Amino acid sequence: MKSELNRNYSEVTEFILLGFITPPKVQILLFLAFLLIYMVTVLGNSSMVIVIKVDSRLHTPMYFFLRNLSYLDLCYSTVIAPQTLANFLSKEKKISYNGCAAQFFFFALFVTTEGFLLAVMAFDRFSAICSPLLYPVHMSQKVCAQLVTGSYICGAINSMVQTGFTFSLRFCGENRLDHFFCDVPALIKISCADTSVNQIVLFILSALIIVTTTTVIVVSYAYILSTVLKIPSTRGRGKAFSTCGSHIAVVSLFYGAVFFMYAQPGAISSPGPNKAVAVLYTLLIPMLNPLIYSLRNRDVKGAVKRILHRK
């Protein structure tokens, strides 16, 4: 059957992103909602990057990682949002084959890097709370730069492997993606080739990344919890927990969505729920992250007040 399809249809040169199939009036409402979300995402994450860079009191490892997290949120939402917004107002909703491959490559790069960076941030909190005297050594400027670079390298490796495997598939005849951006499950579903290897690779890589990073996070917080519970004063325990609360909230949202999308059986065959979850981690989480960190963080709020006061 596959070979017959390959003979009867020419190779696909562009894809149609079906997105959200709704009446025209609803499409306009979705456009306005997505535009508002993206504007808040750009404003929030750009502000975090600028505030942390400008205020010298925030030139610490924790805020260095937070600045990189904001940069990643800004990047991977920008990979998705403009094309999605354009498709809400377009009848054709097309994306070229190369454009689709580029979108997926950069999206996978930034999302995977963020997963590793969240693990690095957990290790940073572990070092600060459990080994405060050695913290300047464990988290020197050089080490911080190496950890961020390593996160990007891991992201790039996963992105290259996933992009290579996915776009080595044949797409003949069917070019309609039941999604609002180019993602692996939607692409695998319309391929006319045998996709069993791709599905195995997707599951193994996703599971490996999630298991590796979540292990670092869980072990770090297990040690943090053990250390914090030994602090005699309630105020001291509250202060220690407050530095971790925002990170735990972000990790829970991010990993919950990624696990549902890529590391569970049946992810490829469930486009409806996947699209809803994809909105969460491609658009809503990048919008929420700077709000979570800024609203819960006295240092960031203080830095914003100082910058505004100077003006």
Side-chain angles (χ1 to χ4, degrees):
M1 185 65 179
K2 297 288 186 183
S3 60
E4 184 179 343
L5 283 171
N6 290 343
R7 289 195 300 268
N8 291 341
Y9 295 103
S10 58
E11 288 291 329
V12 167
T13 58
E14 63 185 13
F15 295 100
I16 297 172
L17 296 168
L18 297 179
F20 302 91
I21 304 173
T22 57
K25 290 183 179 179
V26 178
Q27 291 280 310
I28 296 298
L29 292 175
L30 287 173
F31 170 81
L32 294 174
F34 276 51
L35 178 62
L36 177 61
I37 290 170
Y38 182 57
M39 289 174 63
V40 174
T41 299
V42 172
L43 179 62
N45 286 290
S46 299
S47 298
M48 288 293 287
V49 171
I50 293 169
V51 167
I52 293 171
K53 186 173 181 62
V54 169
D55 196 301
S56 59
R57 299 185 192 185
L58 300 183
H59 291 178
T60 63
M62 182 175 78
Y63 293 106
F64 173 72
F65 296 133
L66 181 55
R67 188 178 75 184
N68 279 276
L69 179 68
S70 294
Y71 175 74
L72 286 168
D73 284 336
L74 183 60
C75 286
Y76 84 73
S77 61
T78 299
V79 170
I80 304 299
Q83 179 72 48
T84 303
L85 290 169
N87 285 345
F88 277 128
L89 303 179
S90 172
K91 292 183 178 179
E92 296 185 334
K93 305 181 188 299
K94 292 180 180 179
I95 184 170
S96 68
Y97 183 92
N98 290 335
C100 187
Q103 184 187 58
F104 173 71
F105 174 83
F106 286 108
F107 172 70
L109 167 64
F110 294 129
V111 169
T112 308
T113 301
E114 178 154 329
F116 281 97
L117 184 62
L118 289 172
V120 167
M121 292 173 75
F123 177 73
D124 170 66
R125 291 300 81 208
F126 158 76
S127 298
I129 294 172
C130 300
S131 304
L133 296 178
L134 295 175
Y135 182 66
V137 177
H138 289 165
M139 286 295 167
S140 66
Q141 189 174 5
K142 181 180 179 181
V143 171
C144 291
Q146 290 173 340
L147 288 170
V148 171
T149 302
S151 298
Y152 273 96
I153 291 172
C154 292
I157 293 171
N158 178 62
S159 181
M160 286 187 288
V161 172
Q162 293 277 19
T163 305
F165 269 91
T166 303
F167 287 88
S168 64
L169 291 171
R170 297 200 66 179
F171 302 96
C172 32
E174 180 59 70
N175 68 338
R176 294 174 298 172
L177 292 176
D178 190 10
H179 216 320
F180 60 92
F181 70 99
C182 293
D183 201 9
V184 173
L187 288 161
I188 288 177
K189 193 172 182 182
I190 67 167
S191 173
C192 58
D194 181 7
T195 62
S196 57
V197 173
N198 295 74
Q199 294 187 46
I200 292 171
V201 169
L202 171 63
F203 180 80
I204 291 176
L205 282 177
S206 300
L208 182 63
I209 291 168
I210 291 173
V211 168
T212 302
T213 52
T214 53
T215 297
V216 173
I217 293 169
V218 170
V219 171
S220 295
Y221 277 108
Y223 277 102
I224 289 170
L225 181 62
S226 175
T227 302
V228 170
L229 291 177
K230 294 176 183 176
I231 298 175
S233 68
T234 304
R235 185 178 178 182
R237 288 197 297 269
K239 185 177 180 181
F241 277 127
S242 68
T243 65
C244 303
S246 298
H247 183 255
I248 292 173
V250 170
V251 166
S252 301
L253 286 170
F254 181 83
Y255 279 97
V258 169
F259 177 82
F260 185 90
M261 284 293 297
Y262 304 111
Q264 58 141 349
I268 293 172
S269 59
S270 307
N274 282 4
K275 277 190 276 190
V277 176
V279 172
L280 172 65
Y281 80 89
T282 59
L283 297 171
L284 290 177
I285 290 178
M287 178 189 72
L288 292 173
N289 282 354
L291 297 176
I292 291 172
Y293 276 103
S294 61
L295 293 176
R296 292 178 56 89
N297 193 300
R298 292 181 181 178
D299 293 338
V300 173
K301 288 188 284 188
V304 172
K305 290 179 182 178
R306 287 192 293 272
I307 292 172
L308 294 176
H309 183 70
R310 289 177 199 169
K311 295 181 178 180

